[in-house]
Amino acid sequence: MALITSLLSMGGIWPPLVASFAVYNIYLFIYRRYFHPLSHIPGPFLNSFSYLPYLYYQGILEGQLMHVLPKWHEKYGPIVRLTPSSLHLSNPAHYETLYTSSVSTRFYKDPSFYGPMQGPLKTPIILTVISNEAHRARRVPLSPFFSRREVLGLEGIVRDKMGRVIHLMEEAFGTGTGTGTGKGNEKGEFDAHRAMRAVSVDIITEYAYGESWEQLGKGDWGQGYQDAIRAVQLLFPWFQTFPFLLPIFGMIPDWVNVKLVPAFGKWFESLETVKAAVARVRKEISLGVQPSRRTIFHELMDPAEGVEGSDEMDKKEKPALSDEIVFADAVNLTGAGAETTGATACRALFEVVSSPGVYKRLREELVEAIPVFEMDSISLVELEKLPYLTGVVKEALRLSPGLPGHLPRVVPAGGATFDGYAVPPGTVVSMSAWQMHHNPDLFPEPERFDPARWMGDDQDAVWARERCLVSFGRGQRNCIGQNLAMCELYYAVAAVIRRWDDLEVHPDFGREDLQLVELLLGYHPKSSRKLRFIRSQHV
Ligand code: HEM
């Protein structure tokens, strides 16, 4: 108010400018509140005419929207006005409509939400492609690398990398078996938070590019890279609310950005690493060098003929993709696979270790399935047959879905009706995995970690829960890496729990440290401590 008064008192162009600004805002308020096509939708007063509540929860409070949305739904019902132009839904019945949108149903991604995630990259990463048709063209060549068959074929990568985690744990606890220092660290603690995120990056980089980033071998276990991805995501709500900021950000030289936010350094570094890997493969292809294993890069840049009798396209139908597209997909794969799987694995391990009953039951199942512990005696197909372990993995995915928050889509031509409310075409509508996974009708005591809810004789109830478990999304735009992520989760939980019967959560760590916030990926608040394990006894 003081600012307005002093601008008015300055004279010149200021009084008419201030007056026009005020009139424009009054017009916006009246239009959005009373005449906008969404004005009939219930919701908080401020949301109906201003984008600032969104910015407040997402930008200023750093991803708290997922916690306030359930309160709004409780007060206003299953459909809530989230911003002047967007809605959030809580009725699980609508999930299929919104997210299994095939090309024909045309619920596209929302450009104002996903566009800024592309940042300064010229080609959209696959996650941010808006139309389902354009997305399909990008997804078809990439999908075969993440099929179940492919994951089973490359399972050895997951086994090796998880074996390295077990080895590092042995070192940390001072039970090294000879190949490492065997001394452990002085405190006898193991930093599971960093290890699980690092191993995910090592797996996806080895799996996809044939060249692991070896985060587990680095002093900080790749924490710098993780911090960088997080820092980049903190910018999204600002760009989503004020789109004009994005091109301005793009004009700032990288070194200035790094001075302002040092974490960005590792982000730019990772882009250079991916660029160099693409260039290396391009060179190998042009020189006719035969790689020891054809990686995703090779297949996308120089497609091989499909396997006879399979439904893969043959070579002449598979166009070689440009280096730019391969680069964008690669950036997406590493970013998407890093925090998501690591966070879910940590949640599973925390819950098992901190609940004696769950720990005991899971170990009994694992000891019976793997009588003598060796990484080589573990296989995904066998692990998947274990019902309690499967329940543990599903509960972890329920309580720590990689993308817990709202994922907006645009209502197609012809409009839609949700819970009796007509919604015009072009409206942005979203739902959240967090809300789906906390539905008390399907998940009584939703906060309780209960692997047994995925077992039992009532198959209909289990099936209803399965339908509501949407950690990997649904339909054409679902997670391309889910087979790989599931493989990692099974291995992480099985190997760690089978190897040790006496883990304890470090007393400095508490359940409150597991609270989630929604950036795009789910994170813990900055103040959260990192999950570490100690042993209650030495064997
Ligand atoms: C627990 C682990 C994971 C969870 C919960 C998860 C979840 C998701 C979800 C919900 C989406 C859809 C996002 C949207 O609708 O906008 C998605 C997309 C994606 N995920 Fe994952 N993800 C996980 C692990 C991975 C891994 C390991 C990879 C690496 C291979 C990966 C790569 C991707 C990619 C590339 C996309 C974009 C797919 C597309 O648009 O076609 N994710 N993920």
Side-chain angles (χ1 to χ4, degrees), residues 258-440:
V258 174
K259 272 255 177 279
L260 294 173
V261 185
F264 285 168
K266 287 281 174 197
W267 170 245
F268 294 126
E269 214 177 272
S270 75
L271 296 184
E272 289 309 315
T273 309
V274 177
K275 215 177 271 170
V278 174
R280 172 178 57 79
V281 174
R282 173 62 68 202
K283 196 166 167 199
E284 281 175 13
I285 291 169
S286 66
L287 294 174
V289 175
Q290 283 304 315
S292 54
R293 170 168 77 81
R294 281 181 67 81
T295 64
I296 291 189
F297 283 174
H298 293 95
E299 291 294 346
L300 296 181
M301 292 158 81
D302 181 29
E305 285 176 30
V307 178
E308 209 176 320
S310 81
D311 55 2
E312 287 177 40
M313 293 178 291
D314 79 18
K315 184 168 182 163
K316 60 182 177 305
E317 286 175 72
K318 285 199 235 172
L321 298 185
S322 71
D323 291 9
E324 259 195 6
I325 289 189
V326 176
F327 168 70
D329 285 345
V331 169
N332 195 159
L333 288 173
T334 32
E339 177 69 22
T340 48
T341 324
T344 308
C346 279
R347 181 73 188 228
L349 291 173
F350 169 85
E351 297 288 358
V352 173
V353 169
S354 54
S355 163
V358 176
Y359 200 170
K360 183 168 175 285
R361 187 164 171 189
L362 181 59
R363 263 195 64 80
E364 280 168 7
E365 189 181 68
L366 286 169
V367 169
E368 198 183 328
I370 311 166
V372 180
F373 175 72
E374 274 170 14
M375 285 307 289
D376 282 349
S377 47
I378 302 183
S379 88
L380 178 62
V381 172
E382 293 306 314
L383 293 181
E384 285 170 334
K385 290 181 190 155
L386 306 179
Y388 200 66
L389 173 63
T390 301
V392 166
V393 169
K394 285 186 180 163
E395 272 295 82
L397 279 166
R398 184 176 72 82
L399 291 172
S400 185
L403 286 80
H406 72 301
L407 297 173
R409 302 293 191 261
V410 179
V411 174
T417 302
F418 299 109
D419 300 301
Y421 288 91
V423 174
T427 304
V428 174
V429 182
S430 58
M431 294 183 74
S432 317
W434 184 254
Q435 180 120 22
M436 295 281 284
H437 295 176
H438 283 73
N439 180 334

Side-chain angles (χ1 to χ4, degrees), residues 109 114 135 139 146 204 336 340 402-403 409 471-472 479-480:
K109 284 195 166 180
Y114 286 95
H135 170 264
R139 175 103 170 198
F146 295 98
I204 183 62
T340 48
L403 286 80
R409 302 293 191 261
S471 321
F472 293 114
C479 176
I480 202 171

Side-chain angles (χ1 to χ4, degrees), residues 471-491:
S471 321
F472 293 114
R474 282 278 159 77
Q476 182 198 328
R477 312 295 306 248
N478 72 356
C479 176
I480 202 171
Q482 61 184 292
N483 289 318
L484 179 62
M486 286 302 273
C487 180
E488 290 180 37
L489 293 171
Y490 270 102
Y491 264 88

